[in-house]
């Protein structure tokens, strides 16, 4: 297997509206231009098709993350760069995914898109912060539900201080440094 055929899971964790998905799609385009096989496992799509029926309890969130981690590892083990822009609010859930990858010998990188909640609530891409503020929903990660930020991610991106292109470039640089791009 050549370097360009090496698969990997790149998990982008962070609060809602942090920029995870936007950065993932920007990186996906750059990787495809470089001849890499890439899939973006969007959290909203996964919830609709793979995790339909799950709620947002801690147990259901853990199950969702494990399902996504399984699919990502399967793709990565077969030479695909699996970009996973999924909140995954609990450290133990993310660690279980990392351990699965390690046990299979599959590359795994954790990227913390560390955007402050104040910035995310202004971006409010899906209107979740407004709904929470209006009392229409509860259990919003980082507001009235926990978010355990990674203590030692492979990369921390502060999307509020740089462009999407700069964020994707820093992630591509890490992949190159690790021999994955």
């Amino acid at each position: 297997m050549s370097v360009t055929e090496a698969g990997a899971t790149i998990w982008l964790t962070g609060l809602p509206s942090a920029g995870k998905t936007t950065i993932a799609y920007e990186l996906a385009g750059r990787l495809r231009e470089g001849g890499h096989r890439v899939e973006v496992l969007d959290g909203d799509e996964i919830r609709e098709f793979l995790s339909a029926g799950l709620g947002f309890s801690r147990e259901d969130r853990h199950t969702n993350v494990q399902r996504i981690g399984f699919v990502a590892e399967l793709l990565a083990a077969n030479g695909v760069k699996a970009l996973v822009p999924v909140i995954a609010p609990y450290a133990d859930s993310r660690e279980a995914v990392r351990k699965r990858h390690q046990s299979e010998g599959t590359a795994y990188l954790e990227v913390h898109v560390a955007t402050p909640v104040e910035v995310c609530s202004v971006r409010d891409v899906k209107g979740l912060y407004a709904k929470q503020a209006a009392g229409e929903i509860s259990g919003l990660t980082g507001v009235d539900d926990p978010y355990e930020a990674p203590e030692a991610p492979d990369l921390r991106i502060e999307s509020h201080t740089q462009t999407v292109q700069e964020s994707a470039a820093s992630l591509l640089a890490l992949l190159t440094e690790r021999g994955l791009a």
Side-chain angles (χ1 to χ4, degrees):
M1 185 180 289
S2 72
V3 173
T4 57
E5 294 172 338
T9 294
I10 299 94
W11 197 292
L12 294 90
T13 179
L15 296 174
S17 296
K20 301 175 301 295
T21 303
T22 304
I23 294 167
Y25 278 107
E26 177 69 22
L27 178 62
R30 291 176 185 216
L31 288 168
R32 286 186 185 111
E33 287 172 7
H36 297 275
R37 295 169 52 206
V38 181
E39 289 294 334
V40 177
L41 299 180
D42 181 274
D44 293 332
E45 291 176 3
I46 296 290
R47 276 226 173 244
E48 182 178 352
F49 296 107
L50 188 63
S51 293
L54 288 180
F56 291 91
S57 68
R58 184 180 177 105
E59 182 179 322
D60 282 357
R61 288 178 192 254
H62 179 77
T63 299
N64 186 48
V65 168
Q66 297 316 297
R67 287 178 183 176
I68 297 167
F70 174 81
V71 172
E73 195 284 324
L74 191 63
L75 288 167
N78 285 283
V80 176
K81 303 293 186 298
L83 307 182
V84 186
V86 173
I87 296 169
Y90 300 109
D92 60 344
S93 295
R94 295 190 307 267
E95 184 58 25
V97 171
R98 180 187 295 278
K99 285 182 176 173
R100 166 181 268 295
H101 280 71
Q102 287 173 337
S103 72
E104 298 295 329
T106 306
Y108 176 88
L109 299 175
E110 183 178 70
V111 178
H112 181 204
V113 182
T115 309
V117 68
E118 299 79 19
V119 175
C120 295
S121 66
V122 170
R123 289 180 181 171
D124 205 8
V125 178
K126 299 173 194 159
L128 297 175
Y129 293 93
K131 287 180 182 177
Q132 191 276 337
E136 295 172 25
I137 63 168
S138 62
L140 182 59
T141 301
V143 177
D144 60 352
D145 214 49
Y147 176 73
E148 299 169 356
E151 292 182 13
D154 295 283
L155 179 66
R156 186 176 318 278
I157 292 174
E158 298 192 9
S159 73
H160 58 294
T161 66
Q162 59 189 26
T163 67
V164 172
Q165 293 75 20
E166 289 168 335
S167 296
S170 65
L171 189 41
L172 185 57
L174 175 64
L175 291 171
T176 301
E177 175 186 305
R178 302 277 174 96
L180 298 168

